[in-house]
Every structure is written in C-alpha cells, then in structure tokens.
Amino acid sequence: MKKILLNEKQLEAVQTTKGPLLILAGAGAGKTKTITERVINIIKDGVEPKNILCVTFTNKAAKEMLERILARLNEENLIEKYEKNIWLNHNLPTIKTFHSLGLSVLREFGKEFGFTKNLSVLDTSDSNQIIKSILNDLHLDPKLHDASKIRNAISKEKTAWQTVDDYAKKVSSYNMEIVEKVWRLYEKELLKQGSADFDDLIIKTIELFKKNSAVKKHYQERFKYIHIDEYQDTNNSQYELIKELLDMEEKNICVVGDIDQNIYSWRGANLRNILNFEKDFPDGKVVLLEENYRSTKNILDLANVSIQKNKARFPKNLFTNKNTGEEIEICPTFDEKAEADFVVKKIKELVREKGIELKDIAVLFRTNFQSRILEEYFIKNNLDYNLLGTKFFERKEVKDVMSYLRASLNRYNLADLKRVFESPKKGIGKASIAKIFAGEAESLSASTFQKVSVVYKFLDKIKDEIENNKRSLSEIIMMIIKESGIEEELLNGSSEDKERLENVREIVTIAKKFDDILTSEAFEIFIDETSLKSDQDDEGSKDGVRLMTIHAAKGLEFDYVFVTGLEQDLFPHINIGNSKKSLEEEEEERRLFYVAITRAKKKLYLCFAEMRTIYGERRINTPSEFLEDANELREDQIVYHDIYYQDDLTEKSFKPKKKVWNFEDDINIDDEWEEDFLEI
C-alpha cells in the first residue's frame, strides 16, 4: 500500500467527505492529487465507486484524472479482481466532461426527444447547413443573414440557459426576430432528424431532469458524491445541470476551482458561480490550498503581488517550500523582430549552456497574430517548435486573404477560387461553383452570373495592381481585406471573429517589408515565403519549444517561460474600436497575466517591444501596467535589462543590470534609433 503525503489543507479536503465543500486551489497547489485522494477516501469509507461522479472540462483532464484514480484503486487493492479487464468494470467512478455526461444521459433516456442509443451529435458545419436551408426556405438573403452568426447567437443563448421562448421575450430588432424564427424551425428540424447539437447535450439533459422526476432520481441515487473540477469556468447551463444532478438532502458536492484563473468569460464562464458558492450552500465548508508545488518563491511573489489588485476574488496567498530560485528577467526590446530574435537566442543559450530540453520551454502571447513573427525566427534559426493550435498561415481567415492574391494571377487554382467565392459569403452556392468549375457558367441564372462577374472583376483589379506595380503589396492586401468584405464580416462577428481580424491585419504587417521593391517581384517572394512557412511541420518539432496563447497554456507548466508582448493595449489587451473595458474585463486581463506567470516552474522572462507594427502601422508602445508589479518585489528578485535589445545592432552589448523598474520615468530610445523611427 503506497503512502501518500498530503499537506494539512489537502488532508482536510480529503477527509471532508460529507456535505458541500469548496476547494479553492491556487495554481500548482495539487488539486488533481487532492480530488484523487478524496475519491479514494470516500471508497474506503464503504461507498460504491459507481456512486461517485467527477466532471471536468476537457477529455485530457478527464483521462488524467481517471488514470490517477485507477492507479490508486489498484495500489489500495480496491479493484484487484478487475486488473486485467478494467474497462469492463461497471463499478468504477464516472469521470466525464460535461458534454460526454449529457450525451450518455440522452442516449439512455432521451426517447421523448426522439433520441436513440445511436444519437448523432451535429458539429458546427452540420448546424450551419441546417440553418442555411431554413434561411433558403424563408427566402432570406444569406448575405444579410449569415448562418454561422445565427448559429453563434443561438449557441450563446443556450450556453446562458436560455430557451427560444426566453429569447422571444427580449426580441427588440428585426435581426433578433430572424434569429427567433430560425431558432424555432431549427429546433423542429433537429427533432425531425433525432439529432442534437453540441449545446443540446447539456440543455436537453436539464430539460429531461426537469420533466422526468424518475430519471432525475435515478441519477441522483447513482451519483451520491459529485466532484466538479475548474468550477470557476462553469457557465449558466452547466451550473443548472449540477443543480439538477445534486441530491439537495445529502448535498454531497465538492467543487474545485480558482477565481484567479477564470479567463473564459468570452466562452460564457460565469465567475459568480464560484463566488456564490457559500450563498448557495450556507452550510458548506471552504478549504484553501495555498501551498504551491510548481514555482519558485520569486515567481510566486510576483503572482501574489499582481493578483491581489483584483477585487472579485477570495483572498489567498500562494507560498512554497522551494528555494527562492532565479531572478525574474524583464527584457525590453527594440521591436517585435528584436523580441523574437532575443527569445530565440536566449533559448539557444539555455540549451547550449544549461542543457535545457526544448520541450521544457514555453513562449506565451496574448493574441494569435503574435505567433507569426516568432515562427519566422524559430524557422530562421532551425529551432524546433510546436505551435499549439493552427499555424498562422494555416488559419482559415489568413488562407482566405491569401486565396484572393493567388487566384488573381492563377484562375486554375480551384481551391483558391472556391475560397474567393465563399469567403465572405456572396450568394454563390455550391451548385453554381460546381457549374463554373465544370465550364458551364453560361447555365447560371442571370443574378448568379452577375455575382460571379463582380468577383472576377475584383480579381482582375488585384491582378492589374500587382502586374503594373500600381500599389505596394501591403496596400493591395489592405484593399483585399476591405473591399472583399472580410473586414466588415469579422468586425460584425463574435469576439473570436475580432481576433481573427487581427490575424488578417497581421498579413499587412508581414507584407510591409516588401514595400521597397516592385510589387510584381514582391508578390512572388511573398507567396514563396508564406507557402514554405505553411509547410513547416516536421517530425523534429514534436519535442520543440511550445508556442501558444496564454488561454491555451492554462493547466500546463514548463521549467522556463517567456511571456511576450507585455505592452499596454496589447497585454492588457484593448478592445477593437478602443471601446473601454469594464472592470470585470480588466480584472480578467490581470487574471490572464497571473495564469501566464504561474506556468513557470524555474525561470520567468517578461518581454516587451518598444515598437511594434500592427496593421501596417509602426507604433511606439508603453510597457504593460502589469510590469509595474515588479516594483513591489525586492531588488534582488528582478533583473532589468536596461539596454534595448536589437537584433541587427550587434555592437550594442546586451548586459543585464539589476534595477528596480520605474514606470514613472519616460523610457527613451537611443537618439540613433529615434531618428530611424522618425524616418519611418
């Protein structure tokens, strides 16, 4: 039997097995270990494993929790006779994501919704196709009423636990009337097909429990002990599902979370769910896990100083028994190219001088478009990397713009031409596109033929601009973004669409470096370079440096972490259109910074660029307000590089100097650099 060491607070949480329990687990505080041991302790008390439910958000997290619990059950000889056929054991704890839990319920008891055990779940494209068909039946112009936007509106309401009848009560515009009308027909079509969309897996499960008390009682008797991981990330519908599942007499619920790591409000996460736990369960208990097993003291000191400035939180202070660790380095650079060059050269130095493995290093950024310049420098230096998510030139919105460029000079590239016809929507259907590709354009209707002609005229215009060098390449790309309708579509979309617009605008920045040569020549170089970058995905990169947004890094940890782009209006991020952020949005930006720095175990680098080119404009930046938190640390905890690193000025030495950061002083560039900037 394995001896498991728990600290005092972890042990308190493990031994509190009855009634409501809130475990406030700080970053790196061993929450998964605590949940695992609590489950084992409940089973040791005589509870059947099948009476325990653990719910989390990702399949990866569910898999990790399952593996840990199974390993401990095996160590404690609690599942001895099932060792060889563990998946056939029906007396194990249920460990699922919210959506997989809903799917299992609906497959078993969803007959009244027309569901069977073979219930199919529609993906986004399936849902969009149904909505497109409905719009067609209603004789509504798909250019004016985009199916994906309507689907997003419906999804947002479902996530907030709103029905179509709830939505009908707040309809106040023509567009909202259309959403309501489409939504009702969409639900009828889903019912007709006996299918569910992703949101329905939770919504329909709640409806089932509310309508069918016998089914609800069945699950309450089955799941007598409920554990919810990442409780701060639950949305309204998930919160409602938890309430329906819970036996309110026994109230054996344990929720685990950290307010300071709530960074998903844009996906519907409701911080009030965890803030109101004590209101929901006045007889509940709260246990704070503040001992951090991940990071050094220096890193935690900065994390504590920073997050304590937020108001919407439960007070807690992370501490560690680890040593003080290496100093945090604040690294100013001349521009985004110098920043990328500094990061790459520093990583090569870590590998060369300290033997650090690339997989133990992460480079984090606030928005996706920042990855482009980093990828360029990693490729240039033959440094293996993994970009979590899609590489910059493989992103749909970036491909769309590139297709306009390529199709303007090569009409035989059908993939590019198809993207041009479809992005943004122009009212040219797939059947029409098939006729065009088959050389049967003459059979198109007059209205469709006119739409196709407009597209070809625009491509001719792009071709003329390129071949006759009428505008620079960056200006042509800017024209494509605006005149194609891509900018308008993304501007009027969701918050994710606005981030896609930033990615699209980054293409202008990339093209700027070719503005000094003839556009026809610039085009060829640009297409070749971007095509090569798009193909960079060799086997060697599997163990490379991790490049990712901070959102994607949540839940991960690395020995060495570089946080880049720490400039005011980039991180913290400013809303597109410069609309003022609410207090809640501002606090979420600070929570994002907290998440970023607590990914680091041994060493933290905080980088910013004095100048950065955004949407083709060269801008002087102010260091992020988050860097002011370094002022509250001791001088021996911080290294401030007071010489701006610039990759092409090798004679400028890069020497670290200990200094307390003073943001009240203006940060000046060398006179030589300032003159260069003014010339730009």
Side-chain angles (χ1 to χ4, degrees):
M1 210 174 286
K2 187 176 179 181
K3 178 72 173 177
I4 301 297
L5 297 177
L6 299 168
N7 65 40
E8 181 183 346
K9 289 297 181 180
Q10 288 174 334
L11 186 61
E12 183 182 356
V14 166
Q15 292 178 342
T16 305
T17 58
K18 296 290 185 182
L21 172 66
L22 167 61
I23 301 175
L24 291 172
K31 65 165 186 170
T32 305
K33 176 183 180 182
T34 304
I35 295 173
T36 299
E37 292 310 311
R38 190 175 190 273
V39 168
I40 299 302
N41 196 40
I42 291 171
I43 294 171
K44 282 183 176 180
D45 285 344
V47 174
E48 289 286 322
K50 67 181 179 183
N51 294 141
I52 300 171
L53 171 67
C54 300
V55 185
T56 187
F57 277 83
T58 65
N59 290 325
K60 179 183 175 184
K63 183 174 181 287
E64 180 187 356
M65 193 177 293
L66 176 62
E67 289 173 349
R68 288 207 194 187
I69 289 174
L70 290 177
R72 288 290 293 121
L73 286 170
N74 194 43
E75 287 169 357
E76 296 287 343
N77 296 318
L78 294 171
I79 54 169
E80 186 176 2
K81 64 179 179 179
Y82 297 107
E83 276 187 273
K84 293 181 181 178
N85 298 296
I86 206 161
W87 299 109
L88 299 178
N89 184 1
H90 300 295
N91 189 29
L92 287 176
T94 297
I95 304 170
K96 292 182 176 290
T97 65
F98 277 100
H99 292 95
S100 64
L101 174 64
L103 179 57
S104 66
V105 172
L106 293 176
R107 279 184 170 157
E108 190 171 358
F109 293 103
K111 288 182 181 177
E112 62 186 86
F113 299 115
F115 301 149
T116 67
K117 289 189 180 295
N118 298 317
L119 166 66
S120 60
V121 181
L122 303 180
D123 62 19
T124 300
S125 62
D126 293 331
S127 296
N128 284 341
Q129 285 303 318
I130 291 175
I131 292 172
K132 285 176 185 176
S133 178
I134 292 170
L135 289 169
N136 185 55
D137 292 343
L138 293 172
H139 305 293
L140 292 169
D141 188 343
K143 288 190 295 184
L144 296 176
H145 307 285
D146 184 80
S148 62
K149 290 180 182 177
I150 293 174
R151 190 202 64 82
N152 287 339
I154 294 171
S155 178
K156 183 179 179 182
E157 294 299 319
K158 286 185 175 183
T159 297
W161 180 229
Q162 295 290 298
T163 66
V164 64
D165 289 332
D166 295 326
Y167 185 78
K169 294 173 185 175
K170 57 184 181 183
V171 167
S172 59
S173 68
Y174 172 68
N175 284 337
M176 291 180 76
E177 285 178 10
I178 297 299
V179 171
E180 181 201 350
K181 187 179 291 185
V182 171
W183 188 354
R184 291 190 186 279
L185 294 172
Y186 174 69
E187 292 300 324
K188 286 182 180 179
E189 185 61 27
L190 290 181
L191 186 62
K192 180 181 174 182
Q193 293 186 17
S195 300
D197 64 21
F198 200 60
D199 299 306
D200 283 337
L201 298 179
I202 295 176
I203 297 298
K204 296 296 185 186
T205 303
I206 298 170
E207 288 181 17
L208 177 62
F209 288 158
K210 288 184 178 294
K211 290 178 181 177
N212 195 323
S213 58
V215 174
K216 177 177 175 177
K217 187 172 178 60
H218 167 81
Y219 280 99
Q220 287 182 340
E221 288 179 350
R222 178 177 170 184
F223 300 134
K224 295 178 179 177
Y225 292 82
I226 297 175
H227 297 76
I228 309 295
D229 191 20
E230 303 287 6
Y231 193 61
Q232 79 281 350
D233 292 334
T234 53
N235 59 39
N236 290 358
S237 61
Q238 289 159 345
Y239 174 78
E240 193 69 25
L241 178 59
I242 295 164
K243 281 171 60 179
E244 291 297 319
L245 273 173
L246 184 62
D247 182 338
M248 290 306 292
E249 288 186 13
E250 297 292 333
K251 291 186 284 191
N252 290 327
I253 183 170
C254 169
V255 303
V256 186
D258 182 7
I259 293 169
D260 297 333
Q261 296 187 73
N262 172 269
I263 57 174
Y264 294 119
S265 66
W266 50 277
R267 287 205 306 218
N270 190 343
L271 187 61
R272 289 170 179 80
N273 292 346
I274 192 169
L275 286 171
N276 290 339
F277 181 84
E278 291 174 285
K279 181 180 176 182
D280 290 339
F281 303 102
D283 54 341
K285 183 174 184 177
V286 179
V287 175
L288 264 66
L289 302 185
E290 298 175 289
E291 183 171 356
N292 177 285
Y293 294 91
R294 176 187 299 157
S295 307
T296 64
K297 187 176 185 304
N298 282 344
I299 294 168
L300 294 184
D301 283 353
L302 178 60
N304 287 327
V305 162
S306 181
I307 201 62
Q308 284 167 7
K309 295 180 179 177
N310 275 3
K311 305 297 182 188
R313 63 187 299 267
F314 289 113
K316 72 176 188 304
N317 198 63
L318 295 180
F319 69 93
T320 183
N321 287 317
K322 289 181 177 246
N323 57 27
T324 301
E326 296 186 57
E327 299 140 310
I328 296 166
E329 294 190 33
I330 297 179
C331 313
T333 60
F334 179 66
D335 59 13
E336 70 273 20
K337 291 187 291 184
E339 180 184 59
D341 191 66
F342 164 72
V343 168
V344 166
K345 284 187 168 64
K346 179 58 70 172
I347 289 172
K348 292 176 84 170
E349 179 187 309
L350 290 171
V351 172
R352 183 178 63 252
E353 297 182 6
K354 294 190 175 183
I356 307 302
E357 292 188 50
L358 293 179
K359 65 181 177 62
D360 295 325
I361 303 171
V363 181
L364 309 183
F365 36 86
R366 174 61 180 83
T367 57
N368 278 312
F369 82 83
Q370 293 170 255
S371 71
R372 195 274 308 169
I373 190 70
L374 289 164
E375 286 187 81
E376 182 178 313
Y377 274 76
F378 271 81
I379 292 168
K380 185 192 295 185
N381 287 271
N382 292 317
L383 201 57
D384 289 338
Y385 70 94
N386 277 322
L387 180 66
L388 218 69
T390 309
K391 286 183 169 61
F392 184 81
F393 284 99
E394 293 174 349
R395 295 185 175 111
K396 178 192 177 299
E397 63 274 15
V398 175
K399 281 185 171 183
D400 290 344
V401 174
M402 298 298 292
S403 288
Y404 277 88
L405 273 178
R406 287 192 290 259
S408 69
L409 297 183
N410 181 7
R411 304 292 167 84
Y412 297 103
N413 188 325
L414 300 186
D416 282 335
L417 206 52
K418 186 172 184 291
R419 280 186 175 273
V420 168
F421 284 133
E422 295 183 337
S423 300
K425 301 299 179 186
K426 300 176 178 67
I428 304 172
K430 289 185 177 179
S432 298
I433 293 173
K435 287 181 180 180
I436 296 167
F437 288 175
E440 300 170 359
E442 68 278 1
S443 65
L444 296 172
S445 68
S447 61
T448 302
F449 188 86
Q450 175 62 27
K451 292 171 185 174
V452 172
S453 298
V454 169
V455 172
Y456 279 128
K457 284 179 183 177
F458 185 54
L459 291 177
D460 287 338
K461 179 180 179 181
I462 298 169
K463 180 181 180 180
D464 181 52
E465 297 276 358
I466 293 172
E467 291 185 338
N468 295 305
N469 305 303
K470 290 185 174 180
R471 298 196 217 189
S472 68
L473 185 61
S474 65
E475 289 172 333
I476 292 171
I477 294 172
M478 219 179 291
M479 176 190 77
I480 291 171
I481 293 169
K482 288 181 177 297
E483 295 185 20
S484 68
I486 289 174
E487 181 177 65
E488 181 180 0
E489 181 181 63
L490 295 177
L491 263 178
N492 294 326
S494 65
S495 57
E496 291 180 3
D497 285 330
K498 291 182 175 64
E499 186 160 334
R500 291 187 184 102
L501 179 58
E502 291 183 347
N503 293 334
V504 166
R505 288 175 170 176
E506 178 68 358
I507 308 172
V508 178
T509 297
I510 301 167
K512 270 279 182 182
K513 65 182 179 182
F514 302 112
D515 281 357
D516 291 336
I517 58 179
L518 288 174
T519 308
S520 53
E521 296 175 3
F523 171 82
E524 291 182 14
I525 299 169
F526 180 67
I527 292 297
D528 287 346
E529 279 203 8
T530 54
S531 296
L532 286 173
K533 287 176 183 175
S534 181
D535 293 333
Q536 286 289 331
D537 192 20
D538 58 80
E539 289 295 313
S541 69
K542 285 188 174 179
D543 290 325
V545 176
R546 268 50 176 177
L547 307 184
M548 65 187 83
T549 64
I550 300 163
H551 284 99
K554 186 171 176 287
L556 304 177
E557 58 183 40
F558 304 91
D559 287 345
Y560 293 79
V561 170
F562 293 78
V563 184
T564 60
L566 275 161
E567 297 131 35
Q568 202 67 16
D569 295 343
L570 181 57
F571 191 22
H573 197 263
I574 192 170
N575 287 330
I576 283 188
N578 296 325
S579 60
K580 183 173 173 57
K581 283 185 178 290
S582 66
L583 180 61
E584 286 186 12
E585 289 174 321
E586 288 177 358
E587 292 208 343
E588 183 157 333
E589 286 293 306
R590 185 168 287 279
R591 290 195 292 270
L592 201 56
F593 179 62
Y594 174 84
V595 166
I597 60 183
T598 54
R599 298 312 93 198
K601 296 163 71 175
K602 295 180 179 178
K603 178 77 175 181
L604 181 64
Y605 298 88
L606 304 177
C607 308
F608 70 91
E610 176 75 10
M611 287 186 284
R612 189 177 296 273
T613 306
I614 297 178
Y615 196 26
E617 291 184 11
R618 193 86 154 154
R619 301 177 186 175
I620 297 181
N621 301 311
T622 305
S624 170
E625 65 188 70
F626 297 147
L627 291 173
E628 295 179 14
D629 300 335
N631 274 334
E632 300 181 41
L633 300 187
R634 298 190 314 274
E635 188 173 347
D636 64 338
Q637 292 180 286
I638 297 286
V639 168
Y640 162 55
H641 297 283
D642 63 347
I643 295 179
Y644 280 78
Y645 180 78
Q646 187 173 16
D647 59 334
D648 57 351
L649 292 182
T650 52
E651 71 276 8
K652 295 271 184 187
S653 60
F654 183 54
K655 298 176 181 176
K657 176 181 177 183
K658 291 181 183 177
K659 173 181 177 182
V660 176
W661 190 263
N662 188 351
F663 286 84
E664 293 179 359
D665 295 338
D666 288 330
I667 300 173
N668 296 314
I669 312 171
D670 271 5
D671 291 340
E672 176 189 342
W673 292 353
E674 190 167 57
E675 287 171 12
D676 289 342
F677 175 76
L678 290 174
E679 287 178 11
I680 297 169

